[in-house]
């Protein structure tokens, strides 16, 4: 086949891929990155694909853009929830993204140039974010795969997150599980759940924890 015809074929395939991505609300290159990350670190990646649009939007809608302060995202991965937060009106300059995987960090820096990307372990958020947050956070949104950690670590993560938040501000976490990702009965903490989001693959639920 002549070179020109090959290039034309390549362009047609590219165009069809983009149309498929737009129609289905996914990015195939992100899917590939995610699968690769899952093969390399199944426990910390925690999912085989990035969150779908409906789940990302549901999480972002728990964050009120009118409340002042930084918005912290734990485990943003390739950034579907980050994008949804921005679509809800959170400026990228307010976003602090804490991600373990250096390849995802690189991608996040390129994709969200205004955001602060911190490469590190979200379970050490107090130390990691000390000096970085000039005021209490307006929300903390988490995509961390919590069930790979013991309950006491999850409880400590929630307590640390609530300490960084404004009083009454939300800690938002999604899960594929049927039980809450952090036990509901923590003194002084209210937990609420969304409906199950069947349009996500796998179906998920969003939990919101607040002090007070
Ligand atoms: C289930 S994925 C969710 C990614 C993205 N939020 C989404 O919804 O598609 C979990 C993400 O958390 C990151 N992660 C896992 N453990 C972490 C930790 N201790 N600290 C920071 N990031 C972590 C993984 O690298 C991965 O990007």
């Amino acid at each position: 086949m002549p070179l020109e015809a090959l290039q034309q074929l390549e362009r047609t395939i590219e165009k069809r891929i983009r149309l498929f991505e737009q129609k289905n609300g996914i990015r195939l290159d992100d899917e590939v990155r995610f699968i690769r990350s899952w093969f390399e670190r199944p426990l910390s990646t925690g999912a085989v694909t990035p969150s779908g649009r409906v789940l990302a939007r549901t999480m972002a809608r728990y964050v009120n853009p009118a409340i002042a302060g930084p918005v912290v995202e734990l485990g943003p991965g390739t950034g579907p929830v980050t994008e949804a937060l921005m679509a809800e009106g959170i400026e990228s300059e307010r976003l602090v993204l804490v991600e373990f995987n250096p390849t995802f960090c690189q991608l996040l820096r390129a994709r969200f140039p205004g955001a602060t990307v911190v490469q590190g372990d979200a379970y050490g958020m107090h130390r990691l974010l000390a000096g970085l947050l000039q005021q209490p956070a307006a929300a903390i949104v988490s995509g961390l795969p919590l069930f790979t950690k013991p309950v006491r670590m999850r409880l400590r993560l929630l307590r640390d997150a609530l300490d960084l938040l404004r009083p009454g501000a939300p800690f938002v976490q999604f899960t594929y599980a049927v039980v809450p990702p952090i036990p509901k009965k923590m003194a002084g903490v209210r937990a609420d759940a969304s409906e199950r989001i069947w349009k996500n693959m796998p179906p998920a639920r969003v939990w919101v924890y607040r002090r007070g």
Side-chain angles (χ1 to χ4, degrees), residues 34 44-45 47 50-51 75-77 80 99-101 104 120-123 143-145 174:
F34 229 88
S44 72
T45 305
S51 294
E99 173 56 57
F100 202 60
N101 180 328
F104 286 164
D121 181 0
Y123 288 86
L144 298 175
F174 83 84

Side-chain angles (χ1 to χ4, degrees), residues 51-72:
S51 294
R53 240 190 330 214
V54 180
L55 172 58
R57 207 185 303 139
T58 306
M59 293 187 81
R61 286 196 174 152
Y62 283 103
V63 182
N64 180 351
I67 306 285
V71 173
V72 179

